[in-house]
Amino acid sequence: MFESLKNLLKHFTGSQETESTTTAVGSQQSEPTPQAVEANSPQYHTLGKFNLGLGSIGPANRTDIDPNTVNAMYQSIAAGAFNIPANGTVPEICVDGRTDKDGKRKNAPCAAGGTLSIVYGGDLGGASIASDTNETQLTIRIINTLKDKGHATGVHGDDHSSCGCGACAKAKIIYQHISERINDIASLTSQYGINLTETEKETIVQQAKNRLNQSDFFAEDRAAILHTAQENGSIFEELVGVHNELGIALNTQPGTTIDRSAIRAKYGPQYDMFVVDVWAFETAAKDVNPTGSEQNTQRIAKAITLQNMATASVLGHGSLSIIPIT
């Protein structure tokens, strides 16, 4: 699945580069206005194009950014200018664009909620078993399964709330969003070569509904899930500040992640990105798949992808652009 994703994205970004170059050759030499820069830049898909983006995080709600700078940042990110080696082969830290108090993040693969992306995506895609009677038990088992396979695990909070991870705090809402908007989310992922069959969508939606109808599945105390993860060996990051994410970096370069500190250093502290290291999803899916079936592995990997896009849609505004990196 992810090899086809890379091939499609190469075509997608190649077309954008050609389009951008053609525009630049034919453009005037005068200083461009912000509106002109937006018109002449590669046109990345936004969440809003797919009727997604229920939250507030995004460039349309910002008055402290420059459109020229945002477009320059997008293009540099798409070109891989901020890719750095990642330690690990499965998601460990969150997509969150914020950093710790020292302005740093671990150089590890990213997904929505860190390891919790594998917990929730695995559950939706078919990695759960009979003993996973609630979210806490599911989290404990998946984390220990990953540890037994030699993987590091991680979660995060922040400096101003009890559960500072949106993917965790809004897990139930995200399941609901998937159950109601599966076609919109799948339409988005299909633009990047991740295609779900009707059977896969039905299976994922049914599991989401099953959990939503199970009154005691989701923990009422959302911070308790973060504590459970820590108690079972997950590394904890405390992030600081407000959300300044201006897009979603969809990274398909194996063994890499995005250097958030370098983005801030070049463009300013108010310029952040969500980072989704989609290349790491298939290994994660394989290692939590209880059946060993390739079909199950592919469905779990796709469900992890859906969980990431659904989280972005719940937290993010429709103006968030998706920036593919091949």
Side-chain angles (χ1 to χ4, degrees):
M1 178 183 75
F2 289 97
E3 190 59 38
S4 63
L5 166 65
K6 287 193 67 180
N7 292 336
L8 185 138
L9 287 181
K10 284 178 182 177
H11 173 75
F12 177 76
T13 54
S15 298
Q16 288 183 330
E17 288 167 2
T18 301
E19 183 179 308
S20 180
T21 302
T22 301
T23 304
V25 169
S27 62
Q28 299 292 325
Q29 297 302 310
S30 59
E31 186 69 17
T33 64
Q35 290 79 11
V37 171
E38 288 178 354
N40 292 342
S41 296
Q43 296 301 301
Y44 301 108
H45 294 315
T46 63
L47 291 179
K49 179 176 180 178
F50 304 95
N51 301 312
L52 301 172
L54 309 182
S56 61
I57 302 170
N61 292 326
R62 300 281 294 280
T63 59
D64 60 338
I65 55 173
D66 173 57
N68 294 353
T69 304
V70 173
N71 286 319
M73 178 182 71
Y74 285 168
Q75 292 179 64
S76 292
I77 289 169
F82 297 101
N83 282 63
I84 56 174
N87 299 317
T89 57
V90 302
E92 179 187 345
I93 70 170
C94 189
V95 299
D96 201 312
R98 297 176 295 174
T99 65
D100 65 19
K101 60 182 177 61
D102 297 318
K104 298 178 180 178
R105 292 293 299 275
K106 289 192 66 180
N107 296 336
C110 304
T115 299
L116 293 180
S117 181
I118 310 173
V119 172
Y120 300 134
D123 181 49
L124 291 165
S128 57
I129 60 176
S131 62
D132 299 328
T133 55
N134 57 48
E135 183 184 10
T136 300
Q137 293 303 314
L138 173 69
T139 300
I140 291 170
R141 187 183 64 79
I142 293 292
I143 285 174
N144 283 287
T145 297
L146 291 166
K147 284 167 54 182
D148 290 345
K149 297 289 179 68
H151 300 300
T153 61
V155 293
H156 82 90
D158 63 23
D159 60 347
H160 57 270
S161 57
S162 61
C163 181
C165 172
C168 178
K170 297 183 180 292
K172 188 173 183 178
I173 295 172
I174 292 164
Y175 270 58
Q176 183 76 37
H177 194 50
I178 289 171
S179 72
E180 294 174 346
R181 306 291 287 277
I182 185 74
N183 288 326
D184 292 329
I185 302 168
S187 178
L188 185 159
T189 65
S190 71
Q191 296 297 311
Y192 305 99
I194 302 173
N195 299 299
L196 285 89
T197 66
E198 289 302 314
T199 299
E200 287 172 330
K201 287 192 285 186
E202 289 169 5
T203 300
I204 290 167
V205 166
Q206 187 58 57
Q207 178 66 357
K209 289 180 176 179
N210 289 345
R211 294 310 197 189
L212 291 165
N213 291 331
Q214 187 180 333
S215 60
D216 58 350
F217 179 75
F218 293 99
E220 290 190 18
D221 179 3
R222 301 310 304 154
I225 297 301
L226 302 180
H227 297 151
T228 294
Q230 290 176 262
E231 289 166 359
N232 284 272
S234 289
I235 297 168
F236 181 80
E237 288 186 301
E238 183 179 89
L239 307 182
V240 300
V242 298
H243 282 284
N244 284 325
E245 292 88 355
L246 297 165
I248 303 164
L250 189 68
N251 179 34
T252 69
Q253 290 190 9
T256 71
T257 189
I258 310 304
D259 190 338
R260 295 163 171 83
S261 298
I263 292 175
R264 288 183 171 192
K266 181 167 183 177
Y267 299 110
Q270 72 272 41
Y271 293 89
D272 286 334
M273 292 287 290
F274 288 116
V275 177
V276 180
D277 290 318
V278 68
W279 62 265
F281 293 177
E282 194 156 7
T283 297
K286 181 178 179 181
D287 284 351
V288 299
N289 180 3
T291 70
S293 158
E294 176 62 19
Q295 183 179 26
N296 281 4
T297 293
Q298 292 300 313
R299 186 174 63 250
I300 293 166
K302 292 176 184 180
I304 295 173
T305 307
L306 289 179
Q307 182 266 347
N308 276 262
M309 294 301 102
T311 302
S313 180
V314 167
L315 301 177
H317 187 263
S319 61
L320 275 179
S321 290
I322 300 144
I323 315 300
I325 308 164
T326 57

